[in-house]
Amino acid sequence: MKFFIDTANLEQIKEAQDLGILDGVTTNPSLMAKEGISGKEAILNHYKTICEIADGDISAEVLSTTYEEMIKEGDELAAIHPNIVVKIPMIKDGIKALKYFSNKGIRTNCTLIFSAGQALLAAKAGANYVSPFLGRLDDISVDGMNLIEEIRIIFDNYMFDTEILAASIRSPMHIINCAKIGADVITSPLDSILNLLNHPLTDKGLAQFVADAKKLG
Ligand code: G3P
């Protein structure tokens, strides 16, 4: 399973990259705004910097919602670096844009996926990744993990190459359950990834080893 970090924060991206387990980065307009990025040049520069810090696929989301604007914007984003994956929203014009980029050999991530039907359409249009939003489904009392399972079954039935990129991750349990189901990728805030490290018996065991190591001189 690939691990992406879901942030536009350069420090957190660096920290995850330094861990040695990072496979990519996902961003969205909200995450970019949170970092105070504003204006086209600043946005393009920020993506360039992310590509210099992190290895692997870097999802850069279009800000527009019409086919013509999305393909113009996506072409500009894709020109930044070969690792850029153009992130397109799950709307009718988005499907057309996914097909356009697929024909052109530009990689895409279809975002805001909340149903198996949406994932199927995105895969048919040639998306490289679909991003089902687990946490936001859980927030409205719908089990987001069921959606990951449904998409896994459908993609396996027809051997779609499209990868399931589980997004809107809120906890280490989301990551573990995605791994059990067979999501190809999780994209997560850094804290949920780091929380996978924690176990009280590890802390207790290490404290004992450190104490005993002192006895060994
Ligand atoms: O990047 C898309 C997704 O991961 C957003 O997550 O926490 O805003 O629901 P969240």
Side-chain angles (χ1 to χ4, degrees):
M1 184 169 68
K2 289 191 260 187
F3 271 46
F4 290 180
I5 187 168
D6 196 27
T7 185
N9 181 278
L10 300 180
E11 290 307 312
Q12 290 188 20
I13 294 168
K14 262 185 217 140
E15 189 176 339
Q17 175 67 28
D18 286 349
L19 264 180
I21 51 95
L22 191 67
D23 299 298
V25 180
T26 54
T27 61
N28 62 39
S30 308
L31 294 170
M32 292 289 276
K34 206 169 151 191
E35 298 308 312
I37 319 287
S38 162
K40 186 175 163 183
E41 205 182 316
I43 292 170
L44 297 180
N45 279 336
H46 199 75
Y47 283 131
K48 194 164 174 274
T49 308
I50 292 175
C51 291
E52 283 160 6
I53 295 172
D55 298 322
D57 288 347
I58 314 296
S59 282
E61 186 161 339
V62 297
L63 306 181
S64 43
T65 54
T66 65
Y67 171 72
E68 287 75 15
E69 287 171 323
M70 280 190 280
I71 62 168
K72 184 170 178 283
E73 218 185 310
D75 278 333
E76 283 171 357
L77 290 168
I80 298 171
H81 194 279
N83 287 357
I84 290 284
V85 173
V86 179
K87 204 169 172 188
I88 302 282
M90 169 35 74
I91 52 176
K92 198 170 165 191
D93 276 24
I95 295 294
K96 285 170 64 183
L98 290 171
K99 191 69 194 167
Y100 164 88
F101 289 120
S102 166
N103 288 340
K104 228 180 149 182
I106 290 176
R107 290 172 315 125
T108 53
N109 171 2
C110 186
T111 189
L112 290 167
I113 297 278
F114 291 97
S115 77
Q118 292 177 328
L120 179 57
L121 273 180
K124 288 277 297 170
N128 297 83
Y129 295 102
V130 289
S131 290
F133 278 27
L134 284 185
R136 293 194 195 183
L137 282 171
D138 286 357
D139 289 346
I140 58 158
S141 307
V142 175
D143 187 353
M145 215 53 73
N146 283 344
L147 175 59
I148 304 293
E149 272 183 303
E150 282 184 322
I151 301 173
R152 182 72 283 156
I153 292 166
I154 292 168
F155 284 9
D156 288 350
N157 279 350
Y158 296 99
M159 289 181 281
F160 280 116
D161 289 334
T162 306
E163 294 187 63
I164 303 172
L165 195 173
S168 190
I169 296 277
R170 303 274 161 80
S171 72
M173 280 316 292
H174 270 158
I175 299 176
I176 292 162
N177 287 328
C178 281
K180 282 157 80 174
I181 291 168
D184 301 286
V185 192
I186 56 94
T187 189
S188 168
L190 183 60
D191 59 353
S192 293
I193 296 174
L194 294 179
N195 278 336
L196 288 171
L197 283 165
N198 299 334
H199 199 288
L201 290 179
T202 304
D203 298 340
K204 191 179 167 199
L206 184 64
Q208 186 67 57
F209 285 154
V210 169
D212 289 339
K214 282 185 188 142
K215 294 178 198 162
L216 300 176

